């Protein structure tokens, strides 16, 4: 009986050890995932270009990096969960959303060399690239966008052209 009890205790110990190892592995994996998420969030938030992600189903903003929020003059809470219609004038919102639907339908990146956008600091001109993100079956999950402000570059170009034409 003592041997049977010792065997049961030993088996219980091995089982608990196995459970502990599984829990520890799960905890380690979870910690690594959290660390990777923090790294990616920091990376995105410190890029100088506007980066945003929208849900492919209803085109609601899921993420806007710091450069994007600062460029537009909105907080994370004012953008997350909203659509372009909630944030921009109707004509702009429809343009942005039509490009989003085009990207999702064709399944390829779309480059928009120049688009005007209303921000809290006035109008800006952006160069935007939109890319679909698909699941394993090829269904659209997200729409990613990357935009660079080209307002100053456009203004400098206009001044140079004016000077050149003034010299002729």
């Amino acid at each position: 009986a003592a041997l049977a009890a010792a065997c049961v205790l030993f088996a219980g110990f091995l089982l608990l050890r196995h459970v502990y190892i599984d829990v520890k592995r799960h905890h380690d994996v979870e910690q690594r995932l959290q660390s990777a998420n923090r790294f990616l969030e920091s990376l995105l938030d410190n890029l100088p270009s506007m980066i945003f992600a929208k849900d492919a189903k209803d085109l609601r903003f899921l993420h806007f990096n710091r450069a994007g929020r600062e460029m537009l003059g909105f907080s994370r809470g004012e953008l997350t969960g909203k659509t372009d219609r909630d944030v921009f004038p109707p004509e702009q919102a429809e343009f942005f959303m039509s490009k989003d639907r085009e990207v999702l339908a064709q399944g390829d990146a779309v480059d928009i060399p120049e688009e005007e956008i209303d921000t809290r600091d006035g109008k800006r001109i952006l160069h935007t690239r939109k890319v679909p993100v698909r699941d394993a079956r090829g269904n659209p999950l997200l729409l990613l966008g990357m935009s660079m402000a080209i307002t100053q570059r456009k203004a400098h170009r206009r001044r140079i052209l004016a000077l050149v034409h003034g010299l002729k």
Side-chain angles (χ1 to χ4, degrees):
L3 182 59
C7 285
V8 168
L9 282 173
F10 185 66
F13 169 75
L14 289 177
L15 182 62
L16 282 174
R17 185 171 176 251
H18 180 70
V19 168
Y20 170 77
I21 290 170
D22 282 351
V23 167
K24 177 135 177 59
R25 279 189 198 134
H26 176 74
H27 179 72
D28 290 347
V29 168
E30 191 174 303
Q31 292 288 59
R32 283 189 292 238
L33 283 173
Q34 287 176 359
S35 179
N37 281 339
R38 283 190 302 273
F39 171 77
L40 288 174
E41 182 76 27
S42 176
L43 182 67
L44 286 174
D45 257 0
N46 288 291
L47 290 173
S49 298
M50 176 168 54
I51 308 289
F52 59 89
K54 294 180 180 180
D55 180 87
K57 182 180 172 187
D58 56 11
L59 300 176
R60 291 189 181 282
F61 291 111
L62 300 173
H63 181 82
F64 244 99
N65 73 339
R66 182 181 307 138
R69 294 188 311 267
E70 288 173 358
M71 184 185 301
L72 297 177
F74 290 98
S75 70
R76 186 182 308 250
E78 290 174 300
L79 293 167
T80 304
K82 303 290 193 298
T83 69
D84 288 313
R85 288 185 184 114
D86 299 321
V87 180
F88 302 108
E91 188 176 304
Q92 279 182 8
E94 292 310 314
F95 174 78
F96 298 151
M97 293 175 84
S98 72
K99 286 295 182 185
D100 295 346
R101 286 190 284 275
E102 178 186 325
V103 169
L104 295 170
Q106 76 183 41
D108 210 1
V110 170
D111 191 64
I112 307 156
E114 207 173 292
E115 62 183 354
E116 197 170 271
I117 189 168
D118 285 343
T119 72
R120 289 204 166 140
D121 292 330
K123 291 192 183 297
R124 296 205 180 187
I125 301 171
L126 303 179
H127 178 178
T128 300
R129 184 166 182 84
K130 294 182 177 185
V131 189
V133 175
R134 300 187 173 285
D135 65 15
R137 293 182 180 169
N139 300 315
L141 289 174
L142 302 171
L143 176 114
L144 292 181
M146 297 149 273
S147 299
M148 290 177 41
I150 59 170
T151 311
Q152 289 181 334
R153 185 181 338 159
K154 295 288 294 178
H156 291 313
R157 187 173 184 184
R158 280 192 299 272
R159 282 188 218 115
I160 290 170
L161 287 173
L163 287 172
V164 168
H165 290 296
L167 294 175
K168 292 183 180 183

